[in-house]
Amino acid sequence: MPKRWEKVIDPNNKYGGAFILGDRNVEVPPTAVVSVTRGEQFNIPRLMINGFLNQMIMKAMSKNENLLYAELKGQLDGGIGQTMTIWKEGKQMNSFRTGGMHNFARKFFSWVFYSGKVQSYFLTWKANGQIPTYEEAAEIVKTYGRHFDGGKLVRKASQPKDPNRKPS
Protein backbone atom coordinates (compact mmCIF):
# COMPACT_ATOMS: atom_id res chain seq x y z
CA MET A 1 0.00 0.00 0.00
CA PRO A 2 1.49 3.36 -1.00
CA LYS A 3 2.30 5.88 1.68
CA ARG A 4 0.25 9.08 1.72
CA TRP A 5 1.46 12.66 1.46
CA GLU A 6 0.31 15.07 4.15
CA LYS A 7 -0.12 18.73 3.31
CA VAL A 8 1.12 21.02 6.10
CA ILE A 9 0.16 24.68 6.14
CA ASP A 10 2.36 27.06 8.10
CA PRO A 11 -0.02 29.10 10.29
CA ASN A 12 2.63 31.85 10.57
CA ASN A 13 3.29 32.12 6.84
CA LYS A 14 0.49 32.16 4.29
CA TYR A 15 3.02 32.00 1.41
CA GLY A 16 4.78 28.82 2.50
CA GLY A 17 3.85 25.22 3.01
CA ALA A 18 5.04 21.65 2.95
CA PHE A 19 4.20 18.14 1.87
CA ILE A 20 5.40 15.35 4.14
CA LEU A 21 5.63 11.64 3.33
CA GLY A 22 6.31 9.23 6.15
CA ASP A 23 7.18 9.63 9.80
CA ARG A 24 10.15 11.80 10.82
CA ASN A 25 10.70 9.41 13.77
CA VAL A 26 11.28 6.41 11.51
CA GLU A 27 14.24 4.18 12.39
CA VAL A 28 17.10 5.28 10.13
CA PRO A 29 19.39 2.35 9.21
CA PRO A 30 23.20 2.80 9.11
CA THR A 31 23.14 2.60 5.29
CA ALA A 32 20.62 5.45 4.89
CA VAL A 33 21.36 8.67 3.00
CA VAL A 34 19.86 12.15 3.04
CA SER A 35 19.40 13.82 -0.34
CA VAL A 36 18.54 17.52 -0.62
CA THR A 37 17.72 19.59 -3.68
CA ARG A 38 17.20 23.32 -3.15
CA GLY A 39 16.35 26.10 -5.56
CA GLU A 40 16.20 29.79 -4.70
CA GLN A 41 15.05 32.82 -6.66
CA PHE A 42 12.53 30.93 -8.78
CA ASN A 43 10.18 33.35 -10.49
CA ILE A 44 6.44 32.59 -10.42
CA PRO A 45 6.38 30.57 -13.71
CA ARG A 46 9.35 28.46 -12.54
CA LEU A 47 7.69 27.89 -9.15
CA MET A 48 4.52 26.75 -10.90
CA ILE A 49 6.38 24.35 -13.23
CA ASN A 50 8.48 23.04 -10.34
CA GLY A 51 5.29 22.49 -8.31
CA PHE A 52 3.65 20.62 -11.19
CA LEU A 53 6.71 18.39 -11.69
CA ASN A 54 6.89 17.74 -7.95
CA GLN A 55 3.26 16.54 -8.00
CA MET A 56 4.17 13.98 -10.67
CA ILE A 57 7.34 12.86 -8.86
CA MET A 58 5.50 12.68 -5.52
CA LYS A 59 3.24 9.94 -6.91
CA ALA A 60 6.26 7.78 -7.70
CA MET A 61 7.83 8.53 -4.30
CA SER A 62 4.74 7.35 -2.43
CA LYS A 63 5.03 3.94 -4.10
CA ASN A 64 8.78 3.52 -3.50
CA GLU A 65 9.44 1.14 -0.62
CA ASN A 66 13.09 2.30 -0.37
CA LEU A 67 12.11 5.85 0.56
CA LEU A 68 11.90 6.25 4.33
CA TYR A 69 10.84 9.91 4.56
CA ALA A 70 10.35 12.90 2.27
CA GLU A 71 9.71 16.59 2.84
CA LEU A 72 8.93 19.11 0.10
CA LYS A 73 8.75 22.72 1.20
CA GLY A 74 8.08 25.85 -0.79
CA GLN A 75 8.17 29.53 -0.05
CA LEU A 76 6.86 32.20 -2.43
CA ASP A 77 8.96 34.88 -0.76
CA GLY A 78 12.43 34.31 -2.23
CA GLY A 79 11.10 31.75 -4.72
CA ILE A 80 12.40 28.82 -2.67
CA GLY A 81 11.76 25.13 -3.21
CA GLN A 82 13.50 22.42 -1.18
CA THR A 83 13.12 18.66 -1.34
CA MET A 84 14.66 16.40 1.29
CA THR A 85 14.45 12.63 0.96
CA ILE A 86 15.78 9.88 3.23
CA TRP A 87 16.59 6.60 1.48
CA LYS A 88 17.47 3.17 2.88
CA GLU A 89 20.61 3.20 0.71
CA GLY A 90 22.35 5.57 -1.69
CA LYS A 91 22.05 3.26 -4.69
CA GLN A 92 18.26 3.24 -4.28
CA MET A 93 18.16 7.05 -4.32
CA ASN A 94 20.34 7.05 -7.43
CA SER A 95 18.04 4.55 -9.19
CA PHE A 96 15.03 6.75 -8.45
CA ARG A 97 16.85 9.92 -9.60
CA THR A 98 17.96 8.40 -12.90
CA GLY A 99 14.73 6.59 -13.75
CA GLY A 100 11.04 7.20 -14.41
CA MET A 101 9.33 10.56 -13.91
CA HIS A 102 12.26 12.08 -12.01
CA ASN A 103 14.62 11.38 -14.89
CA PHE A 104 12.09 12.78 -17.38
CA ALA A 105 11.85 15.98 -15.32
CA ARG A 106 15.65 16.23 -15.06
CA LYS A 107 16.08 15.87 -18.82
CA PHE A 108 13.30 18.08 -20.15
CA PHE A 109 12.85 20.67 -17.42
CA SER A 110 16.44 21.18 -16.23
CA TRP A 111 16.18 24.82 -17.33
CA VAL A 112 13.90 25.44 -14.32
CA PHE A 113 16.91 24.84 -12.03
CA TYR A 114 19.75 25.81 -14.39
CA SER A 115 19.01 29.22 -15.88
CA GLY A 116 17.93 32.74 -15.09
CA LYS A 117 18.74 33.98 -11.60
CA VAL A 118 18.12 30.61 -9.94
CA GLN A 119 20.54 29.44 -7.26
CA SER A 120 20.56 25.62 -7.16
CA TYR A 121 22.07 23.32 -4.57
CA PHE A 122 22.33 19.51 -4.54
CA LEU A 123 23.84 17.18 -1.93
CA THR A 124 23.55 13.60 -0.70
CA TRP A 125 25.22 12.47 2.53
CA LYS A 126 25.12 9.61 5.05
CA ALA A 127 22.23 10.09 7.47
CA ASN A 128 24.15 8.74 10.49
CA GLY A 129 20.87 7.72 12.11
CA GLN A 130 19.27 11.18 12.00
CA ILE A 131 16.90 13.17 9.83
CA PRO A 132 17.85 16.85 9.79
CA THR A 133 15.29 19.61 10.23
CA TYR A 134 14.39 21.72 7.20
CA GLU A 135 16.65 24.51 8.47
CA GLU A 136 19.58 22.17 9.14
CA ALA A 137 19.21 20.57 5.70
CA ALA A 138 19.11 24.02 4.06
CA GLU A 139 22.26 25.11 5.85
CA ILE A 140 24.12 21.87 5.02
CA VAL A 141 23.17 21.86 1.33
CA LYS A 142 24.02 25.56 0.95
CA THR A 143 27.39 25.08 2.68
CA TYR A 144 28.52 21.76 1.16
CA GLY A 145 26.28 21.08 -1.83
CA ARG A 146 27.00 21.39 -5.52
CA HIS A 147 26.03 25.00 -6.26
CA PHE A 148 24.90 26.45 -9.57
CA ASP A 149 24.32 30.17 -10.16
CA GLY A 150 22.00 30.57 -13.16
CA GLY A 151 23.21 27.22 -14.49
CA LYS A 152 26.93 27.93 -14.04
CA LEU A 153 28.72 25.59 -11.65
CA VAL A 154 30.10 27.70 -8.80
CA ARG A 155 31.17 24.92 -6.42
CA LYS A 156 31.42 21.15 -6.48
CA ALA A 157 29.90 19.18 -3.62
CA SER A 158 31.91 18.13 -0.60
CA GLN A 159 30.84 15.92 2.25
CA PRO A 160 30.12 17.53 5.61
CA LYS A 161 32.66 16.43 8.23
CA ASP A 162 29.90 15.85 10.78
CA PRO A 163 26.47 16.24 9.11
CA ASN A 164 24.73 16.26 12.48
CA ARG A 165 26.58 19.42 13.50
CA LYS A 166 25.54 22.72 11.97
CA PRO A 167 28.14 24.44 9.75
CA SER A 168 29.72 27.53 11.28
Side-chain angles (χ1 to χ4, degrees), residues 34-40 71 73 80-84 120-125 131-147 155-168:
V34 178
S35 184
V36 177
T37 298
R38 182 178 176 91
E40 298 177 349
E71 193 175 273
K73 287 195 174 185
I80 298 169
Q82 179 172 300
T83 301
M84 177 177 68
S120 302
Y121 304 88
F122 307 91
L123 185 63
T124 300
W125 69 92
I131 298 175
T133 65
Y134 170 82
E135 293 79 13
E136 289 167 342
E139 197 168 346
I140 291 168
V141 76
K142 288 175 71 170
T143 301
Y144 299 102
R146 191 167 28 133
H147 176 205
R155 178 188 65 229
K156 292 183 179 179
S158 62
Q159 288 298 300
K161 309 246 183 312
D162 180 1
N164 298 321
R165 189 178 115 306
K166 290 184 181 177
S168 51

Side-chain angles (χ1 to χ4, degrees), residues 63-117:
K63 297 175 187 171
N64 194 309
E65 62 195 32
N66 299 307
L67 180 66
L68 297 172
Y69 178 80
E71 193 175 273
L72 283 71
K73 287 195 174 185
Q75 173 62 43
L76 261 179
D77 186 29
I80 298 169
Q82 179 172 300
T83 301
M84 177 177 68
T85 53
I86 315 302
W87 297 86
K88 290 179 182 176
E89 293 183 20
K91 65 183 178 185
Q92 296 161 338
M93 182 278 300
N94 223 13
S95 291
F96 184 82
R97 184 176 60 88
T98 58
M101 184 59 193
H102 191 280
N103 195 44
F104 171 80
R106 272 184 344 123
K107 284 183 177 181
F108 294 101
F109 293 95
S110 61
W111 61 270
V112 171
F113 269 89
Y114 297 113
S115 63
K117 296 178 182 178

Side-chain angles (χ1 to χ4, degrees), residues 17-36:
F19 287 96
I20 308 292
L21 181 70
D23 181 358
R24 172 174 279 287
N25 297 316
V26 68
E27 185 176 332
V28 180
T31 55
V33 296
V34 178
S35 184
V36 177

